[in-house]
Each structure stands twice: as structure tokens, then as C-alpha cells.
């Protein structure tokens, strides 16, 4: 008998209830499923098994009855995590719980009994404990949800760009440059000997695909990268990882305003896809992680993102302190300050509790490649802040003038040797270009409401932690 999935069966039964079942589907026929035991309750003559096969978040109930189910006895002592083939009939249930049907087993085949010490038992486990068993934590509903949303979101990202005629650039992982100039790269080799692996060139793991992205945008006009990036910063926060994924579009002939428009449309598109495709997961989040998820997501797709200049943000914060409306741990706010998360949080809350763009930052707190504004002290950069998360994406219009870029690198005492090719792009018809980087995990955090970034990436790496 052909094995089907719980997801298929569920769809067929819903259609059956609406008299729209596919041809050949007969509720009275037996079905065959393969998967794992989530939990098990043995009442002697009847055994109830909560059963999953990975195709859906919600498990289904298998019922084994003495005298009805052949080899009922083999299920005695069945342990959580065990795998089996279940054959039986779907029976519609009348109780009001979300479960629409259960399977009355006619036969069952225990494929592999799990060990007694299988770590994921039915009880609640802490997220910290589960991080330590990251190889099996997706067997919990929370991590199934997190990783399913992650997967749907990555397809949605590729889809958005594909639909909008962007070319995907798989940016290199090993590079000879520090794209952000922040000195936070992981070193692959720093052997300067001519006979070393890269002929004396120092190699590190990429912190951003932007420089390569800018090169490709000069041919294809609209391109994006989407892949892992690495940062050796020693921050122990719930927002930082040493290995995280970034989405980086780059568009030739695009200015800062057009870029912010793209960022907003892109994020709204992604959220709408998740609302549509992950309703079961959203439902789970609403009941178990964050009861406000539905309105939070709806808010993102329906509001216009606020936009304020950096200097206005400074004024808002200072005014709020002066009027006693808030008291930050760090009340020293001045033009040129790199805002902290408490300030970002306040800005989001005071501007409608939605996303906020801050743009035109002081050049001294931003990267070397950003477009120098005519005022002489700001650059055409924008950060997108999300409530509770803080910075979710950052972008800029790029400096397109060869001499200005070169001078900026000199001012910052940067060695330009490894990025001469990048600076040279300005000589070959580089009129204008803008792009941004979205922290993929931070967006998943916002959607799922999970407060630690380590819970939205399969095997998290952070300062001091590399178990898997
Ligand atoms: O603001 P960042 O450093 O910008 C860049 O790397 C630019 N080159 C992007 C571009 O213009 N193409 O990083 C972009 C985003 C941040 O807004 C944040 O969401 C995320 O990447 N991010 C991190 N996420 C997790 N862990 C870390 N350590 C992160 N550092 C940055
Ligand atoms: Mg940034």
C-alpha cells in the first residue's frame, strides 16, 4: 500500500468534508503512514499514540485496539521517539478539539524502538536545555515551527527577487577583504609566506557579500546575495551570532529613497507569504509563544514604515529625557552617538510601535563605502528598526566618486590593496548604486516571537559555543 503523508491525508479529509475530495479518495479505505511517536498512552486494551511524520506541525492520533489491531501487543512499552508504519482507517472525530480525525489501526509495524533515555519527552523543556540537544530539538513543536518558518521564508526571499528580475549571486565565503572594515573577521589563514595556501594572501571568512554584490550590480543592475556570513565579535546578546545569514540586494542607478521603498516592500511581501503559508505555525505561536503575533504581523504589512533622519532621532530622544518621559540607562545622547538598543526600542514605541527607518547617519559611526552627503558630516545610510528587535536591516547608497572613496579609506587608515578592484569599479561607469543587508535570523525572531537568536538557526555558533 502506498504510504501517504499526514499533510496529504489532512487535505483529502478536508476536501471530503466539503464534497470536493480528489478522485479515488475514499474515506473507507485504509491508509498507510510512516513516522515517529510523539507520545503514548496505554490503557491496556487501547493504546493512544500521538504520531508525526514531519509533513505538518500538528500530530495525529493513532488508536490501537486489542482485538481490532493486529499485533496490538507489539505496541506495549512503546517509547517516545520510536518509528513505525501505521495502517488503518481515518475516522472523523466529533469532539471539538482541533483534531478532525484519528486513525483506528488495523495493523502496525514497529520499525525501531527508541532508547528509554530519548531526551525529548512530553514534558516542557527549557530552550537552554534544547540548545544543548540541537540535533533533536526540532522534534518539539517550538523548534519545528521555527525551522519551518525559516525554510518558507528563504523560499519567499528567492521568490521575491526572482519575480522582480534580480540575479542571484552566490558571494564567496573565503575572502581577502573585510567588507565592513570593522576588523571582526574570522581568519582562515594569515600566513604571509609566498608558499602559503593563498600565495601569501591573508584569507578570512566573509562578513558581508556587499563588495562582490556591487561588482555584479554593475552588470546585471539588480542582484542579491543570500548566504552565511561570519563575525568574530564577542557580543553575548540575544541578537548576535558568529555565523548568521544575510540577504543583500544591490541595485545600480538606485538612490537611498528608492532603496528604503524596496526594503519596505520586500519585508511586507515576506510577511504576507508567511501569513498565508504558515497559518498552523502562526496558530501555534499565538497559543504558546506570543499571543500578539497575529496583530504584530498584520501591523507590519498594513502600516507605512516611519522615516526619520538621524538628527531628528537625537532630538526626539533628548526631548523625551528632558520632559521626563523616559529614563535610559545611558542618557547621554548627542549627534555622533551610536544608538543603543534601549534608544532604538524607545524610538519604535514612540513612533507608532511599528518599523522605523533612521537615515542620514554621521559618517564617523558608519562604514567607509557610504555615500558622503553634501553637508560634509553625514552619509546616505539607513537602518531599519523593528519593535523589540532593534536593527533588522541596514543599507546605504554607495560612494560613487573614486577620489572621495579613496580619501575616506586613507582617513580611516585602511589598507586599500585588497579592495583596489572594488574602488576601481568607480572608474567603469559606476554612476550610482544602493543596497542593504537584512539579518535573516532577526526577521525570523520577529516573526516567531522567539527572544533568543540562537533558537532560529539550526546549529547556533556564538562566542564560546560550538557544540555541533
Ligand atoms: O549592518 P550590517 O553590518 O551591514 C552590512 O553588512 C552591509 N554590508 C549590508 C549591505 O549594505 N549590503 O549587517 C546587516 C544586518 C544587520 O542589520 C543585522 O540585522 C544583521 O545583518 N547582523 C547580524 N545578525 C546576527 N548576528 C550578528 N552578529 C549580526 N551582525 C549583523
Ligand atoms: Mg548595521
Amino acid at each position: 500500500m502506498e504510504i501517504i503523508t499526514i499533510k496529504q491525508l489532512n487535505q483529502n479529509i478536508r476536501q471530503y468534508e466539503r464534497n470536493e475530495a480528489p478522485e479515488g479518495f475514499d474515506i473507507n479505505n485504509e491508509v498507510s503512514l510512516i513516522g515517529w511517536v510523539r507520545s503514548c498512552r496505554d490503557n491496556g486494551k487501547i493504546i493512544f499514540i500521538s504520531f508525526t511524520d514531519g509533513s505538518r506541525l500538528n500530530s495525529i492520533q493513532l488508536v490501537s485496539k486489542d482485538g481490532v489491531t493486529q499485533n496490538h501487543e507489539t505496541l506495549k512499552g512503546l517509547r517516545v521517539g520510536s518509528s513505525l508504519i501505521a495502517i488503518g482507517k481515518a475516522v472523523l472525530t466529533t469532539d471539538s478539539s482541533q483534531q478532525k480525525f484519528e486513525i483506528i489501526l488495523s495493523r502496525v509495524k514497529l520499525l525501531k524502538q527508541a532508547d528509554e533515555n530519548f531526551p525529548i519527552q512530553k514534558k516542557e523543556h527549557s530552550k537552554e536545555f534544547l540548545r544543548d540537544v540541537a540535533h533533536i530539538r526540532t522534534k518539539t513543536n517550538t523548534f519545528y515551527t521555527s525551522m519551518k518558518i525559516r525554510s518558507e521564508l528563504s523560499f519567499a526571499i528567492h521568490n521575491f527577487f526572482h519575480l522582480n528580475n534580480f540575479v542571484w549571486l552566490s558571494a564567496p565565503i573565503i575572502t581577502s577583504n573585510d567588507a565592513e572594515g570593522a576588523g571582526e573577521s574570522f581568519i582562515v589563514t594569515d600566513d604571509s609566506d609566498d608558499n602559503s595556501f593563498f600565495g601569501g594572501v591573508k584569507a578570512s571568512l566573509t562578513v558581508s557579500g556587499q563588495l562582490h554584490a556591487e561588482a555584479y550590480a554593475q552588470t546585471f543592475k539588480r542582484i542579491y546575495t543570500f548566504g552565511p556570513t561570519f563575525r568574530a565579535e564577542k557580543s553575548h546578546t540575544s541578537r548576535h551570532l558568529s555565523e548568521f545569514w544575510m540577504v543583500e540586494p544591490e541595485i545600480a542607478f538606485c538612490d537611498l529613497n528608492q532603496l528604503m521603498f524596496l526594503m519596505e516592500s520586500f519585508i511586507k511581501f515576506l510577511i504576507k507569504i508567511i501569513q498565508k503559508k504558515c497559518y498552523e505555525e502562526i496558530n501555534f505561536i499565538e497559543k504558546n509563544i506570543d499571543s500578539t503575533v497575529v496583530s504584530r504581523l498584520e501591523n507590519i504589512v498594513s502600516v507605512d514604515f516611519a522615516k526619520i533622519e538621524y538628527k531628528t532621532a537625537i532630538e526626539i530622544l533628548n526631548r523625551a529625557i528632558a520632559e521626563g518621559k523616559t529614563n535610559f540607562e545611558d542618557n547621554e545622547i548627542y549627534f555622533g552617538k551610536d544608538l543603543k538598543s534601549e534608544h532604538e526600542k524607545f524610538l519604535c514605541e514612540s513612533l507608532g510601535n511599528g518599523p522605523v527607518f533612521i537615515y542620514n547617519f554621521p559618517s564617523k559611526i558608519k562604514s567607509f563605502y557610504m555615500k558622503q552627503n553634501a553637508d560634509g558630516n553625514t552619509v546616505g545610510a539607513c537602518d531599519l528598526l523593528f519593535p523589540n528587535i532593534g536593527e533588522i536591516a541596514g543599507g546605504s547608497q554607495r560612494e560613487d566618486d573614486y577620489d572621495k572613496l579613496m580619501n575616506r579609506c586613507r582617513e580611516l587608515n585602511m589598507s586599500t590593496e585588497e579592495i583596489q578592484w572594488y574602488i576601481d569599479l568607480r572608474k567603469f561607469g559606476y554612476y550610482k548604486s544602493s543596497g542593504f543587508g537584512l539579518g535573516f535570523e532577526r526577521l525570523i525572531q520577529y516573526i516567531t516571537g522567539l527572544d533568543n537568536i540562537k533558537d532560529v538557526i539550526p546549529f547556533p555558533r556564538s562566542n564560546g559555543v560550538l557544540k555541533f
Side-chain angles (χ1 to χ4, degrees):
M1 189 187 306
E2 191 198 352
I3 289 176
I4 62 165
T5 64
I6 296 177
K7 185 174 177 171
Q8 280 173 311
L9 180 61
N10 189 57
Q11 276 165 355
N12 289 349
I13 290 183
R14 280 169 171 226
Q15 289 169 324
Y16 167 81
E17 286 185 314
R18 296 197 302 261
N19 288 325
E20 295 165 4
E23 209 171 315
F25 177 79
D26 182 347
I27 189 98
N28 297 309
N29 285 347
E30 291 198 325
V31 292
S32 166
L33 302 161
I34 185 167
W36 301 270
V37 176
R38 292 289 300 268
S39 65
C40 184
R41 190 156 44 89
D42 188 345
N43 289 354
K45 295 240 173 270
I46 303 186
I47 301 174
F48 297 99
I49 301 164
S50 164
F51 180 79
T52 168
D53 67 355
S55 64
R56 283 183 73 189
L57 171 66
N58 296 334
S59 45
I60 59 166
Q61 177 156 281
L62 308 180
V63 184
S64 177
K65 291 184 179 168
D66 192 13
V68 174
T69 309
Q70 283 174 33
N71 42 37
H72 174 77
E73 287 306 309
T74 58
L75 297 180
K76 291 277 167 201
L78 183 65
R79 299 198 196 105
V80 175
S82 303
S83 49
L84 49 86
I85 294 180
I87 299 167
K89 273 187 199 164
V91 176
L92 300 184
T93 51
T94 45
D95 73 52
S96 58
S97 71
Q98 48 173 275
Q99 175 122 17
K100 282 231 176 296
F101 61 91
E102 57 189 21
I103 305 286
I104 307 294
L105 294 170
S106 60
R107 269 178 297 153
V108 63
K109 182 168 184 196
L110 181 55
L111 297 172
K112 194 140 198 182
Q113 176 80 301
D115 278 14
E116 230 162 324
N117 60 0
F118 180 65
I120 314 271
Q121 294 296 330
K122 213 185 165 206
K123 67 183 176 103
E124 275 287 313
H125 294 291
S126 76
K127 305 243 178 42
E128 289 75 17
F129 166 78
L130 291 168
R131 250 168 251 152
D132 208 45
V133 291
H135 55 309
I136 39 181
R137 66 177 174 170
T138 41
K139 290 180 184 282
T140 64
N141 285 336
T142 299
F143 285 93
Y144 182 102
T145 295
S146 169
M147 296 308 150
K148 193 68 190 293
I149 288 181
R150 183 181 172 101
S151 170
E152 287 300 339
L153 204 53
S154 9
F155 284 111
I157 286 167
H158 283 296
N159 255 337
F160 175 87
F161 290 122
H162 201 212
L163 286 169
N164 287 287
N165 298 312
F166 279 67
V167 164
W168 178 40
L169 152 67
S170 12
I173 304 283
I174 300 175
T175 70
S176 56
N177 57 62
D178 173 0
E180 285 301 293
E184 286 168 344
S185 312
F186 281 103
I187 306 298
V188 174
T189 166
D190 54 4
D191 191 343
S192 53
D193 191 291
D194 282 352
N195 297 319
S196 72
F197 196 88
F198 291 112
V201 176
K202 285 204 266 180
S204 50
L205 297 181
T206 187
V207 295
S208 153
Q210 184 194 320
L211 306 195
H212 305 93
E214 279 187 49
Y216 264 54
Q218 289 304 308
T219 299
F220 297 101
K221 195 149 93 184
R222 299 168 153 225
I223 66 96
Y224 72 105
T225 72
F226 180 26
T229 48
F230 307 85
R231 298 207 182 168
E233 44 189 345
K234 291 195 169 163
S235 12
H236 293 264
T237 76
S238 55
R239 308 273 175 267
H240 289 88
L241 289 164
S242 309
E243 178 180 306
F244 63 100
W245 280 56
M246 220 201 293
V247 188
E248 294 184 276
E250 185 74 29
I251 308 99
F253 307 112
C254 171
D255 67 17
L256 187 65
N257 260 321
Q258 293 166 320
L259 184 74
M260 289 194 275
F261 179 79
L262 175 73
M263 291 166 87
E264 184 168 339
S265 333
F266 172 56
I267 288 177
K268 285 181 165 161
F269 175 92
L270 299 181
I271 302 282
K272 281 184 200 158
I273 298 274
I274 296 301
Q275 284 176 317
K276 202 162 119 195
K277 297 198 84 173
C278 298
Y279 56 89
E280 241 176 50
E281 286 74 18
I282 301 285
N283 216 334
F284 173 80
I285 293 170
E286 186 177 29
K287 294 206 176 84
N288 299 280
I289 302 173
D290 170 22
S291 61
T292 68
V293 61
V294 172
S295 57
R296 268 197 305 108
L297 297 185
E298 195 45 45
N299 186 41
I300 301 292
V301 297
S302 56
V303 299
D304 288 334
F305 293 8
K307 283 195 186 89
I308 52 166
E309 276 195 279
Y310 169 89
K311 65 173 188 232
T312 313
I314 297 296
E315 282 164 20
I316 294 176
L317 293 170
N318 272 327
R319 202 178 317 130
I321 296 170
E323 290 172 359
K325 284 191 185 141
T326 179
N327 190 23
F328 299 115
E329 261 175 46
D330 178 359
N331 274 332
E332 213 184 312
I333 311 285
Y334 52 91
F335 187 92
K337 184 182 182 73
D338 212 354
L339 297 178
K340 299 194 171 140
S341 58
E342 54 175 345
H343 309 126
E344 295 177 340
K345 199 165 170 236
F346 180 84
L347 288 167
C348 286
E349 280 163 12
S350 59
L351 291 162
N353 216 13
V356 176
F357 279 110
I358 302 188
Y359 65 100
N360 285 344
F361 280 85
S363 41
K364 66 175 180 202
I365 56 169
K366 287 290 179 189
S367 300
F368 70 97
Y369 51 71
M370 295 177 175
K371 172 87 179 160
Q372 297 164 30
N373 287 333
D375 63 14
N377 66 1
T378 62
V379 284
C382 64
D383 276 359
L384 177 59
L385 312 181
F386 260 44
N388 292 317
I389 301 284
E391 183 189 333
I392 204 160
S396 64
Q397 188 170 329
R398 319 306 189 185
E399 182 50 70
D400 47 66
D401 183 278
Y402 182 92
D403 295 326
K404 283 188 185 164
L405 185 57
M406 208 54 176
N407 287 338
R408 185 69 185 140
C409 290
R410 284 200 198 100
E411 271 169 28
L412 295 168
N413 284 323
M414 284 173 58
S415 140
T416 49
E417 203 184 324
E418 314 85 62
I419 55 163
Q420 191 58 51
W421 62 269
Y422 167 77
I423 301 172
D424 280 349
L425 289 171
R426 275 73 189 159
K427 295 185 192 166
F428 312 129
Y430 190 111
Y431 173 68
K432 221 179 238 179
S433 186
S434 295
F436 69 87
L438 169 84
F440 184 48
E441 285 76 18
R442 293 198 185 166
L443 181 59
I444 307 172
Q445 266 192 288
Y446 186 76
I447 294 173
T448 57
L450 285 166
D451 38 48
N452 198 312
I453 197 164
K454 296 189 181 80
D455 298 334
V456 299
I457 189 163
F459 296 97
R461 281 93 175 77
S462 60
N463 187 213
V465 182
L466 183 64
K467 179 165 173 183
F468 295 92

